[in-house]
Amino acid sequence: MENNYSRVLEYYSNPIVIEELFNYGRERWIAVEGVSKGRVFIRYDRGGTPLKFQGLNDVKRVLKAFWFAKPRSFYGSVNKYSRLSEVGDLEDISNIKYSTPTWDVDNEVDRWLETIKVCRFIVDELEKEKVVKSVYLKWSGRGCHIHVCEEALSEDFLKKHHPLDAAFAIVEYIIRKIKPKLEPNSSAKIENKIDLKRVFTLPLSLHRQLDYSCVCFKPDDMESFDLSWANPKNFQHKPAYLYFEKGEADELAEKALSEVGGYFKRAGPMPSEKSERKETPELGRFQVMALLQAARCFLLTGDVEKSKSFGLNRAIFYAWAKHRGVEAKKPPSRREAAKLREKPVEEEKKVFYLGNEAAYLSDDGWLTIGNMRQTPQDYDNQIVRRINEVIPYEEAWRTAIEYLKKFPKDILLDQQKFFNQVYKPVRDSFIKAVYQKESKLKLS
């Protein structure tokens, strides 16, 4: 299936698959992962708002909107939210209704029996804590997720404790209980991955690489589980997440919070609670130029891979021009490009136009300067990695998109207007704006 994308689309046309993705994913922050020319992870809609499911048709809408990324896997946040209308809703911790306690058991596929054995330890420990009816499992592809339904915590409990604190504490508490039981040479890894923006695979999503569906089952079915259950052509799946007992996990959560402490105690204060930094780290102008040019290209074309290539190409172009102290030689105009076709084929070069800005294309479609191509992987290595050293790249990308959307299209299409009115005002203050979580950049 991974080599034939039409089969992926066929799989996601199954009404049962669509219904399960929607039922589990609603009220969660959705993410999709694509397989077009490397991994592409998308968490925001084309308009820059958090990706979400509001109806069954949204599954097909997402597949269509991000066709260029070839979406293969669907994920949902560990949290359920009251609102998901704007980015600020993700930063408001009072907007989190529930958080799903989740144990991530990772292993090699061919050692799946060992994985199930470790899951049994977790389930048995939960049973000792009188949490039974609200437990379910998901075979995720290489391993398994064990969940406690988020509504196993009562409303009275959640009035006193934040749901993310409770989820983190429950998971950590059980891990500590079972670790002494694990075999020293076990290849299975158990991790507490509960955090503010964590996502887990949605039921019946395809694995990002393997030909497996993410199937759910109850603890009573563990002994009979077999990898054949996850066959996308004939999956065996139960909506086990629908079954729970309200308040069943209250006592365990109280005990876990008392012994372990909550998430926010470990993670520190929320961004809105942090005092303003005296010295805000900043990116170099090269990274800011590449990021903004890539975001500009994405808004105008919708092609994230081409945008990465364009962003890095333009950053190199302007850096070279500044270094030489002269106006860099620009690619040919459309009229000049037409004249090139009169020359021998080996001298002909393709040209990519974004408004009135143009750059050469390599034979395989990436932007190029001289004999050097700028591929999406180059962008990841030179730009994404560098930005991630200061702030999460995903946050920088989202902020860049929001910032550019403030400008009319004619400015984005004009090379000089973009440079002077979009890039120059923020080239030395972009990261500061991201750190402050502002919806609008402060122009300096």
Side-chain angles (χ1 to χ4, degrees):
M1 185 176 291
E2 60 185 314
N3 295 322
N4 189 339
Y5 191 64
S6 63
R7 292 171 62 191
V8 173
L9 295 177
E10 181 182 357
Y11 174 82
Y12 284 121
S13 68
N14 185 332
I16 296 175
V17 173
I18 293 173
E19 186 174 4
E20 286 300 277
L21 290 173
F22 170 73
N23 285 341
Y24 196 89
R26 58 184 166 183
E27 297 187 323
R28 299 183 191 269
W29 183 15
I30 300 300
V32 293
E33 185 168 359
V35 294
S36 176
K37 299 175 182 176
R39 296 180 65 182
V40 181
F41 204 70
I42 299 168
R43 300 189 71 172
Y44 298 92
D45 222 324
R46 295 289 289 272
T49 58
L51 208 58
K52 59 184 177 294
F53 290 156
Q54 293 179 295
L56 289 171
N57 289 335
D58 282 341
V59 175
K60 290 184 178 180
R61 179 185 63 81
V62 168
L63 290 169
K64 183 177 180 180
F66 299 104
W67 60 269
F68 53 86
K70 293 187 176 179
R72 178 180 170 88
S73 302
F74 285 83
Y75 305 87
S77 60
V78 69
N79 298 318
K80 283 190 169 184
Y81 298 87
S82 297
R83 307 176 312 279
L84 280 172
S85 300
E86 56 186 42
V87 173
D89 293 336
L90 301 171
E91 308 298 338
D92 180 3
I93 63 172
S94 66
N95 186 39
I96 298 173
K97 291 173 59 179
Y98 300 107
S99 301
T100 310
T102 304
W103 293 262
D104 186 353
V105 182
D106 195 24
N107 206 349
E108 296 298 324
V109 180
D110 58 1
R111 306 194 72 167
W112 65 271
L113 285 172
E114 180 184 3
T115 302
I116 294 297
K117 182 179 179 180
V118 173
C119 291
R120 171 53 68 187
F121 288 144
I122 295 172
V123 169
D124 287 349
E125 200 64 40
L126 285 168
E127 187 173 354
K128 290 179 184 178
E129 300 291 342
K130 302 176 183 178
V131 181
V132 179
K133 296 179 181 179
S134 308
V135 181
Y136 62 97
L137 298 91
K138 288 190 324 213
W139 184 259
S140 59
R142 296 189 188 278
C144 197
H145 297 152
I146 302 95
H147 300 278
V148 171
C149 180
E150 58 280 349
E151 294 193 58
L153 294 171
S154 68
E155 297 302 324
D156 287 341
F157 175 89
L158 293 175
K159 288 177 182 177
K160 297 182 292 181
H161 304 284
H162 195 279
L164 195 61
D165 275 336
F168 176 89
I170 289 171
V171 172
E172 188 66 26
Y173 179 82
I174 296 297
I175 288 177
R176 293 183 184 183
K177 288 286 186 180
I178 68 165
K179 275 207 168 177
K181 302 177 182 180
L182 300 179
E183 297 176 5
N185 297 324
S186 173
S187 59
K189 293 193 305 181
I190 310 173
E191 297 181 272
N192 183 354
K193 291 186 176 181
I194 301 295
D195 64 42
L196 188 61
K197 297 185 178 181
R198 179 65 56 185
V199 295
F200 292 99
T201 312
L202 291 183
L204 292 189
S205 168
L206 293 173
H207 186 269
R208 66 183 184 85
Q209 290 179 322
L210 304 174
D211 284 340
Y212 289 125
S213 297
C214 180
V215 294
C216 295
F217 52 98
K218 294 294 282 184
D220 289 346
D221 298 320
M222 288 176 64
E223 308 310 324
S224 56
F225 173 80
D226 185 270
L227 282 182
S228 63
W229 290 18
N231 184 345
K233 296 179 180 180
N234 188 31
F235 51 78
Q236 185 171 331
H237 164 81
K238 294 180 180 179
Y241 54 87
L242 295 175
Y243 305 98
F244 62 92
E245 182 177 304
K246 201 74 173 176
E248 186 182 44
D250 285 3
E251 186 177 341
L252 169 59
E254 292 281 10
K255 187 188 301 184
L257 283 167
S258 176
E259 184 167 321
V260 175
Y263 169 78
F264 294 112
K265 180 179 179 181
R266 298 294 190 87
M270 293 299 298
S272 58
E273 299 169 349
K274 294 179 182 178
S275 59
E276 185 175 354
R277 298 169 180 263
K278 294 182 179 179
E279 295 183 5
T280 303
E282 278 297 343
L283 294 177
R285 293 181 177 182
F286 183 83
Q287 285 78 29
V288 175
M289 169 61 82
L291 175 67
L292 291 179
Q293 289 281 16
R296 170 196 181 200
C297 186
F298 177 73
L299 283 176
L300 294 171
T301 68
D303 187 333
V304 69
E305 298 297 291
K306 183 75 75 177
S307 297
K308 287 183 175 184
S309 178
F310 182 82
L312 182 56
N313 176 276
R314 293 295 83 193
I316 294 172
F317 175 82
Y318 286 106
W320 182 85
K322 181 179 179 181
H323 176 72
R324 293 296 297 269
V326 296
E327 184 178 0
K329 183 179 179 181
K330 299 175 182 177
S333 65
R334 286 181 172 86
R335 182 177 298 177
E336 291 169 333
K339 290 181 180 179
L340 285 175
R341 290 193 286 270
E342 301 171 2
K343 297 182 179 181
V345 174
E346 62 269 14
E347 293 183 23
E348 181 176 305
K349 291 190 177 182
K350 297 178 181 178
V351 179
F352 175 79
Y353 288 95
L354 194 71
N356 64 2
E357 187 160 6
Y360 288 122
L361 284 170
S362 62
D363 291 339
D364 55 0
W366 301 125
L367 281 292
T368 181
I369 291 179
N371 295 321
M372 182 179 297
R373 298 180 309 154
Q374 287 78 53
T375 67
Q377 185 62 47
D378 294 329
Y379 179 92
D380 290 344
N381 291 336
Q382 298 181 45
I383 306 303
V384 175
R385 182 179 298 177
R386 176 66 183 89
I387 291 176
N388 271 328
E389 291 174 359
V390 183
I391 47 96
Y393 174 77
E394 184 179 279
E395 189 73 13
W397 175 258
R398 188 265 305 166
T399 304
I401 293 292
E402 287 188 345
Y403 172 54
L404 264 61
K405 284 169 61 180
K406 294 166 29 181
F407 296 90
K409 190 175 181 180
D410 66 291
I411 291 180
L412 299 184
L413 288 169
D414 187 277
Q415 179 179 8
Q416 291 302 318
K417 288 180 180 179
F418 177 83
F419 185 89
N420 291 318
Q421 298 180 41
V422 179
Y423 164 70
K424 283 181 69 176
V426 298
R427 61 188 177 187
D428 296 315
S429 61
F430 183 79
I431 294 303
K432 182 179 180 181
V434 177
Y435 262 89
Q436 293 174 338
K437 306 291 183 184
E438 294 176 350
S439 59
K440 294 184 178 181
L441 291 171
K442 292 181 178 180
L443 304 184
S444 59

